Structure formats: structure tokens, C-alpha cells
């Protein structure tokens, strides 16, 4: 454990819309934390930077920062870190292993964990509130910190992930994949800005199993979302479950 005042640092890619996975997995917690929450617009080319920043502010997040406003400093640190980063650490990353065989894979797929570590170090993060899919990246930043430490002193704090019981939300159309901004299918995700009728439409269309008792990925995902927005009741049938889920989501996302 760090023996310093926690400083929470976390980021989100500038895809404009914040979806329920981002919100329940990470952004909802950012509202009550002291620190820096940034739009990670150096982690890609282009993007809807202003929309994402506004969307974060509308979610109640304070201290929203745009990463590229600190471009020179962060990229300089990234450059310095690149001389100290053992490539074996990067080669272990799941994202890289999963996608590196594709012709679309670029150098950034390999190197972006270093940029993420540079963000954390630059913004002085001690505690990193992220969704569980980011655990490995924080582990990488910690390993890199150990490397810096072994090579001499470092003025950075060693960061630690703060995941708690934040849920991993899966796609509404394919519950074997996480809900993601990159999914071309709009019906796969609920956005925090979706109006009530769109939320209703998406929840109604979400695949379910035959029986409420079934232990399928789709059913478990809906139950996870239900609990995360405060649902406690036991329903006999999917339609009444979904109706209550829609009500809870509308209240949660309007808050
Ligand atoms: P992309 O597909 O472009 O990576 P994304 O939807 O994963 O986009 P990010 O900007 O990468 O969004 O992630 C922002 C935050 O939201 C991170 O802390 C991440 O852990 C969290 N997050 C993203 N998707 C989910 C999800 N489906 N469930 C829970 N947390 C999530
Ligand atoms: Mg992501």
C-alpha cells in the first residue's frame, strides 16, 4: 500500500460517447475522487475530444483534463521510458498477443502501455480507478516503476489499481465480448446519453435465455447490470425483470 495521500488518475479514449461499461466499470467512481481524469487523445489519431470531455463533465466528473494539452511533456516522458522498457514486458500483454498477428496491428499496439504508464507517472497517480480489463496495464506500469527504481531513484509514486467490485459489463448482443465503444453495432451498448426510449429499446432487444434460472452469459450480464444499478428483487419472468431494469437505468443515468 502507498503511504501517501491518494491521487486518483484515470483516462478514457476520446470516442465521444460514454457507455454503460465505462460508466459502471470506471467513470461512476471518478465523480467522488480527488485527482485527474483525462481524455486520452494521444492514444489514437483523431477522436471526439470535446464531446468526450463534456460527456465526462455531464457524468459529474470534476477535474477533466485533455491529455494533449500536456502533449510535449507526456511524449517526452514516453520517449524516455521507451529506453528503459524491457520488450519482454510488452510482449506479455494480452491485447498485444491477441491482435499482433493481424495486418492491422501497429507499433502503437505494442507500445501504448508505455504511453499509459507515462500518463500515470506524469499526472502523479498513486491510485488508478479502472475497469478490470485494465488490470494488466496497471501491473505493467508497476513493473516499469520497479525497473526505474532498480536503475536509480525515481520521483514517481508506485501506482496501484483500484478496481474494487466494479463490474465488467458485456455486450448486449454478444455477451462473450465486453461492451465496447469500438463495436460497430449500436445495439450492443447503452450510452449514458441515450434517452429513456432508446434504453428501453436496447434492453428489450437484449438476448436472454429461456428461463430466468438459466446460467448463460447473456442472463448473467443483465443480472450484473441490474445489481450494479441497485436492483435487489427476484423476478419470475424476463419481461418484468427488464421493465424494472429499464426504470433503474433511467434513474441511474439521469443522476
Ligand atoms: P475501446 O474499445 O476503444 O478500448 P472502451 O469502451 O474499452 O473503448 P476505454 O476508453 O478503453 O473504453 O476505457 C475507459 C474505462 O472504461 C477504463 O477504465 C476501462 O477499464 C473501462 N471499461 C471499458 N469497457 C468496460 C466494460 N465493458 N466493463 C467495465 N469497464 C469497462
Ligand atoms: Mg478499452
Amino acid at each position: 500500500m502507498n503511504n501517501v495521500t491518494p491521487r486518483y488518475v484515470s483516462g478514457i479514449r476520446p470516442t465521444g460517447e460514454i457507455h454503460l461499461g465505462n460508466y459502471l466499470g470506471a467513470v461512476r467512481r471518478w465523480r467522488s475522487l480527488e485527482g485527474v481524469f483525462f481524455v486520452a487523445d494521444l492514444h489514437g489519431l483523431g477522436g471526439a475530444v470535446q464531446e468526450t470531455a463534456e460527456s465526462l463533465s455531464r457524468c459529474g466528473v470534476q477535474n477533466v483534463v485533455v491529455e494533449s494539452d500536456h502533449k510535449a511533456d507526456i511524449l517526452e516522458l514516453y520517449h524516455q521510458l521507451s529506453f528503459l522498457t524491457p520488450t519482454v514486458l510488452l510482449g506479455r500483454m494480452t491485447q498485444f498477443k491477441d491482435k499482433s498477428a493481424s495486418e492491422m496491428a501497429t507499433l502503437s499496439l505494442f507500445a501504448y502501455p508505455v504511453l499509459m504508464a507515462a500518463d500515470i507517472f506524469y499526472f502523479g497517480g498513486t491510485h488508478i480507478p479502472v475497469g478490470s480489463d485494465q488490470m494488466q496495464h496497471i501491473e505493467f506500469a508497476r513493473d516499469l516503476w520497479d525497473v526505474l527504481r532498480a536503475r536509480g531513484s525515481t520521483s514517481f509514486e508506485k501506482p496501484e489499481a483500484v478496481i474494487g467490485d466494479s463490474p465488467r459489463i458485456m455486450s448486449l448482443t454478444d455477451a462473450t465480448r465486453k461492451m465496447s465503444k469500438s463495436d460497430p453495432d449500436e445495439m450492443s451498448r447503452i450510452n449514458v446519453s441515450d434517452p429513456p426510449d432508446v434504453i428501453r429499446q436496447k434492453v428489450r432487444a437484449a438476448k436472454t435465455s429461456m428461463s430466468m434460472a438459466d446460467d448463460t452469459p447473456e442472463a448473467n450480464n443483465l443480472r450484473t447490470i441490474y445489481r450494479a444499478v441497485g436492483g435487489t428483487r427476484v423476478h419470475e419472468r424476463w419481461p418484468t425483470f427488464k421493465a424494472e431494469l429499464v426504470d433503474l437505468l433511467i434513474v441511474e443515468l439521469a443522476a
Side-chain angles (χ1 to χ4, degrees), residues 10-15 19-27 30 95 129-134 167-170 178-183:
S10 201
I12 186 162
R13 285 151 52 94
T15 354
H19 59 70
L20 195 64
N22 300 143
Y23 177 80
L24 296 176
V27 172
W30 297 356
Q95 280 269 15
V130 283
S132 53
D133 61 308
Q134 295 297 316
R168 176 174 168 85
I169 306 299
M170 309 308 280
K178 83 174 186 80
M179 187 177 284
S180 160
K181 288 181 254 183
S182 329
D183 192 322

Side-chain angles (χ1 to χ4, degrees), residues 176-243:
T176 63
R177 294 158 48 153
K178 83 174 186 80
M179 187 177 284
S180 160
K181 288 181 254 183
S182 329
D183 192 322
D185 185 359
E186 242 334 283
M187 293 301 279
S188 71
R189 69 185 152 261
I190 291 169
N191 295 314
V192 297
S193 62
D194 281 347
D197 54 320
V198 174
I199 296 178
R200 188 169 296 111
Q201 191 195 350
K202 288 178 176 173
V203 170
R204 277 198 187 144
K207 206 170 126 192
T208 45
S209 41
M210 295 293 281
S211 141
M212 278 295 302
D214 284 353
D215 187 24
T216 60
E218 293 80 21
N220 289 334
N221 188 38
L222 289 181
R223 280 191 279 261
T224 300
I225 297 173
Y226 177 76
R227 279 193 301 273
V229 293
T232 53
R233 294 173 53 192
V234 178
H235 287 272
E236 303 270 304
R237 296 174 54 247
W238 282 114
T240 56
F241 170 93
K242 283 187 170 182

